[in-house]
Amino acid sequence: MNLRHYILFRSFANHYSQFIQNVPFNSYMCIYNRRIKGLSKFGLVDNAQKVFGEMCQRDFVTWDTLVSGYSQKTRIIDDPNNFGSFSDGNVRTWTAMLSEYAKAGRIEDARRLFDSMPEKNVVSWNAMITGYVKSGELVSARRLFDAMPERNISSWNAMITGYCHRCIMREARELFEKMPERNAVSWMVMMSGYNGIDLYLEVWNVFVRMYRSGVMPDQPMFVAALSALKGLTDLELVDSLRSIVLKSGYEEDMIVGTAVLNAYAKSERLDLASDFFNGMPFKNEYSCTLMIAAFSQCGRLDDAVRIYGRISEQTVDTQTAMMTAYAQNGRIHDAEHLFKLIKHPNIVTWNAMITGYAQSGMLDDAKDAFLRMGTRNSTSWAAMISGLAQNGRYNEALQMFTEFHRVGNFPTYSCVSSSLFACANLGAIDMGKQIHALAIKRRCQHDSYVGSALISMYSKCKNIEDVSQVFSTVEINDTASWNSLLSGLSHNNQLEKARDAFEKMPDRDVVSWTAIISAYVQAGHVDIALHIFRDMLVRDVKPNELTLTSVLSACGSVGAAKLGEQIHSIIHKLGSNLNLFINNALITMLCTQRTW
């Protein structure tokens, strides 16, 4: 508001009280309402409320005008009881005020206002539910949702959004399936929820259902689906989704195009990713850093350097990507040199350097960098905790986790998993249970990685009952969590339960087969172990070094010369004949059979 406007308003106010006494009531209301609207428009909401307080009577237009003025200034009427005494307002006015209290986090005031409303409509109920959801009070939100006399699609979306934001996907899915109708928001919220807990297959399933139902995907939906596919690393699905992108006209959209590139890169088809990158009409900083990271992770450091050299103006992000590439490929000193050249490293840069030091076993340098950081986030702490745990410094890892939690941070999935790994190796069951309690509070115990870490911790600490209990709480048990259960049961000599779990597994990988074979070998049931190994070969599952070592040990103990020769042949075909452990197991078997 400039000086001229202010002087005009003050001059008008000086003569206002005399003028208002000589006008009819309707004109009186109109003039006051216009005055409040004018003051609110110029941001003088306190003045508007003062005028509002001078009125001997108010109508719903007056209240609408004042509430609107406060909403525009992201402020709120201080006394909800004052508003609650108003009986002439319409539902819209009450609901607007209710929404303002909810947005401001004054959920109790919002509820008092809601309860005092003479009339409510579905928008009022939705506003109160949304307020509860934003405040994290999902129990109250669900209780109100269940009590609604009628619901619309926004009611369902608000409740589902609350569950998804808190990673409570079972309840979210239950409501989603009960919805009488869905819109684009419903589908998008579910995809985002599953993406948030890394259940990528569920994201893809939701996307396919949505597309088949006739809903045309938009940019955020494509990005969500492509983000899931990069986790699934399924090239056929990426190609299928790219064809939908083409049909929908989003091929040249930079954000969608970068997401397609990311999905190709994560599918480990760098030839396709490179061709797509070269054909992109527009390349941004993110797409360049993405290709640097993709080449780096596949060990093609020269290609990463080539992409880096083609960037005309280096930024902190591209320098950080190249620094990370050097560190990942064992060139930690090159990474350190580049780090020192970055004038204003951001928190991502510092975290990348700490991770690089930790991966190279340079934990003292990692701790020094960690202490020199101006600002730390949860990733910084997670990098240090993981680095210490993975390098056998378990007590330090747990001390850092304790400090991380003590200063008021909420543990991330990575922090929880790394700390549980340290507890498992120390046999620190009491500390492990405390971390389990934090995981429950964080609502991350349903995550498959955290669940697997909990299963491993309890199994190594000989708490087999807790192993089964944790497995049953995991949201969706993937192969990794099944393998953790299998290993835990085997480790505790629960051979029958381990075999039962193996038979129930929906999918098995080489780790699954190796775990059950090793369990039978260690239990002295060599014939059964060899039978399972033959079954593994029939199913075209490629054995790894641990599988071969276990089977060679079994062959040596029972004198299975022919099978030993077959395994020897398999070793040559797989190119594993130079592995030290396999060679030692092979020599032991041959010596036992005295075939040398």
Side-chain angles (χ1 to χ4, degrees):
M1 184 178 185
N2 58 34
L3 181 62
R4 178 170 172 270
H5 286 142
Y6 182 76
I7 292 172
L8 286 173
F9 265 109
R10 297 306 301 173
S11 176
F12 175 73
N14 291 334
H15 301 284
Y16 196 76
S17 59
Q18 297 177 1
F19 170 75
I20 202 67
Q21 295 174 0
N22 300 316
V23 299
F25 176 73
N26 289 341
S27 299
Y28 159 88
M29 292 297 295
C30 182
I31 292 169
Y32 260 107
N33 288 342
R34 287 184 177 178
R35 188 181 179 197
I36 291 172
K37 185 176 182 180
L39 290 167
S40 299
K41 181 178 180 181
F42 286 98
L44 300 173
V45 289
D46 291 332
N47 301 63
Q49 188 171 7
K50 185 177 180 181
V51 173
F52 175 86
E54 296 172 356
M55 296 178 69
C56 59
Q57 190 171 350
R58 312 173 183 102
D59 61 7
F60 70 88
V61 176
T62 314
W63 284 93
D64 276 352
T65 304
L66 186 64
V67 171
S68 176
Y70 271 93
S71 299
Q72 291 171 8
K73 297 296 291 182
T74 63
R75 292 179 58 190
I76 194 166
I77 295 175
D78 291 330
D79 186 5
N81 296 320
N82 183 33
F83 185 83
S85 65
F86 173 54
S87 59
D88 297 325
N90 59 16
V91 177
R92 188 186 70 176
T93 311
W94 285 87
T95 303
M97 196 62 212
L98 167 64
S99 298
E100 290 306 310
Y101 279 117
K103 288 178 184 176
R106 292 168 59 172
I107 198 67
E108 292 181 3
D109 289 336
R111 184 57 195 250
R112 279 197 294 269
L113 197 62
F114 177 80
D115 290 338
S116 64
M117 289 178 69
E119 181 185 355
K120 305 180 184 74
N121 61 14
V122 68
V123 180
S124 315
W125 287 81
N126 289 346
M128 193 65 239
I129 289 173
T130 301
Y132 275 132
V133 165
K134 289 184 177 179
S135 299
E137 299 184 29
L138 294 187
V139 174
S140 298
R142 182 59 185 268
R143 189 179 297 121
L144 201 63
F145 176 83
D146 291 337
M148 289 183 74
E150 62 172 325
R151 306 184 186 108
N152 62 13
I153 198 167
S154 297
S155 316
W156 292 87
N157 286 342
M159 199 65 243
I160 290 172
T161 299
Y163 283 132
C164 288
H165 284 177
R166 297 283 173 170
C167 301
I168 310 175
M169 293 309 297
R170 287 180 179 174
E171 286 83 349
R173 185 59 174 264
E174 177 186 342
L175 283 185
F176 181 77
E177 297 299 344
K178 291 180 180 179
M179 290 181 74
E181 60 175 328
R182 306 181 182 100
N183 61 9
V185 174
S186 318
W187 296 100
M188 185 64 204
V189 167
M190 288 301 296
M191 285 192 285
S192 299
Y194 280 123
N195 254 332
I197 58 173
D198 299 336
L199 291 180
Y200 302 122
L201 185 58
E202 292 299 321
V203 180
W204 176 246
N205 290 336
V206 171
F207 179 85
V208 170
R209 284 181 61 187
M210 178 196 71
Y211 187 68
R212 288 175 177 172
S213 71
V215 177
M216 288 303 298
D218 57 11
Q219 184 196 74
M221 291 175 181
F222 278 124
V223 172
L226 287 161
S227 296
L229 293 189
K230 76 180 182 183
L232 292 174
T233 64
D234 190 320
L235 187 60
E236 291 184 5
L237 295 183
V238 177
D239 288 337
S240 299
L241 188 52
R242 186 182 174 187
S243 66
I244 299 175
V245 170
L246 281 167
K247 292 177 183 178
S248 304
Y250 280 93
E251 177 76 357
E252 294 188 0
D253 182 278
M254 181 178 291
I255 295 175
V256 175
T258 304
V260 172
L261 175 65
N262 200 0
Y264 274 132
K266 295 297 182 181
S267 298
E268 299 183 356
R269 286 299 304 271
L270 285 187
D271 52 341
L272 295 175
S274 184
D275 289 343
F276 187 86
F277 175 77
N278 293 329
M280 290 177 71
F282 304 102
K283 300 178 180 68
N284 59 10
E285 183 179 68
Y286 181 72
S287 58
C288 291
T289 58
L290 180 61
M291 284 306 300
I292 291 172
F295 280 126
S296 166
Q297 289 166 5
C298 291
R300 294 170 58 175
L301 187 60
D302 291 341
D303 290 317
V305 172
R306 177 176 53 81
I307 295 290
Y308 181 74
R310 285 164 51 183
I311 302 172
S312 56
E313 293 185 13
Q314 302 294 349
T315 65
V316 174
D317 289 339
T318 55
Q319 289 174 309
T320 300
M322 193 64 239
M323 184 189 79
T324 303
Y326 280 132
Q328 286 177 337
N329 286 270
R331 290 171 58 173
I332 189 64
H333 296 298
D334 289 325
E336 192 175 37
H337 175 72
L338 186 54
F339 176 73
K340 292 177 180 178
L341 294 177
I342 301 174
K343 294 182 180 179
H344 302 289
N346 57 28
I347 195 167
V348 177
T349 312
W350 280 98
N351 289 344
M353 195 66 244
I354 290 171
T355 302
Y357 280 136
Q359 289 173 343
S360 300
M362 301 167 65
L363 294 179
D364 291 336
D365 294 281
K367 290 181 74 173
D368 178 64
F370 179 80
L371 294 173
R372 287 191 291 119
M373 292 180 71
T375 304
R376 305 184 188 102
N377 61 9
S378 57
T379 305
S380 318
W381 289 89
M384 279 306 308
I385 293 169
S386 175
L388 290 166
Q390 295 299 327
N391 284 277
R393 291 163 68 165
Y394 307 123
N395 284 314
E396 289 181 71
L398 293 179
Q399 289 171 5
M400 182 156 283
F401 178 82
T402 302
E403 176 65 15
F404 171 66
H405 187 249
R406 188 190 66 79
V407 297
N409 295 302
F410 220 39
T412 62
Y413 289 18
S414 176
C415 288
V416 170
S417 299
S418 298
S419 301
L420 288 169
F421 176 77
C423 289
N425 285 279
L426 287 173
I429 184 63
D430 292 335
M431 182 68 171
K433 287 183 176 180
Q434 292 178 32
I435 296 172
H436 188 181
L438 282 175
I440 294 172
K441 187 176 180 181
R442 178 70 174 83
R443 295 187 180 277
C444 66
Q445 80 276 18
H446 302 303
D447 176 74
S448 62
Y449 290 106
V450 174
S452 296
L454 282 167
I455 290 169
S456 296
M457 187 273 294
Y458 280 122
S459 66
K460 287 190 177 181
C461 294
K462 307 295 184 181
N463 280 39
I464 198 62
E465 292 182 3
D466 288 319
V467 168
S468 301
Q469 190 272 332
V470 169
F471 181 79
S472 65
T473 64
V474 177
E475 185 79 24
I476 292 181
N477 288 300
D478 58 10
T479 305
S481 58
W482 276 99
N483 286 342
S484 295
L485 175 65
L486 186 59
S487 298
L489 293 170
S490 301
H491 182 75
N492 286 275
N493 301 316
Q494 301 284 324
L495 195 56
E496 291 184 8
K497 290 183 178 180
R499 182 60 182 268
D500 183 58
F502 179 78
E503 297 297 337
K504 289 180 179 178
M505 290 182 70
D507 296 295
R508 304 176 188 132
D509 59 12
V510 64
V511 177
S512 320
W513 289 92
T514 302
I516 195 66
I517 289 170
S518 299
Y520 275 107
V521 171
Q522 291 170 8
H525 301 295
V526 176
D527 291 341
I528 298 176
L530 295 177
H531 176 77
I532 295 173
F533 178 70
R534 292 189 185 96
D535 189 27
M536 175 185 177
L537 297 179
V538 169
R539 295 173 186 267
D540 291 327
V541 179
K542 180 181 176 181
N544 63 17
E545 294 168 356
L546 291 176
T547 322
L548 295 171
T549 302
S550 293
V551 175
L552 285 171
S553 174
C555 290
S557 65
V558 296
K562 291 185 177 180
L563 182 58
E565 292 174 3
Q566 293 175 9
I567 296 171
H568 196 177
S569 175
I570 292 171
I571 291 171
H572 282 290
K573 289 179 181 179
L574 295 176
S576 302
N577 55 308
L578 297 179
N579 179 275
L580 178 61
F581 293 104
I582 291 179
N583 276 336
N584 287 341
L586 185 61
I587 291 170
T588 300
M589 182 201 71
L590 293 174
C591 289
T592 303
Q593 296 174 8
R594 298 181 180 180
T595 57
W596 57 284

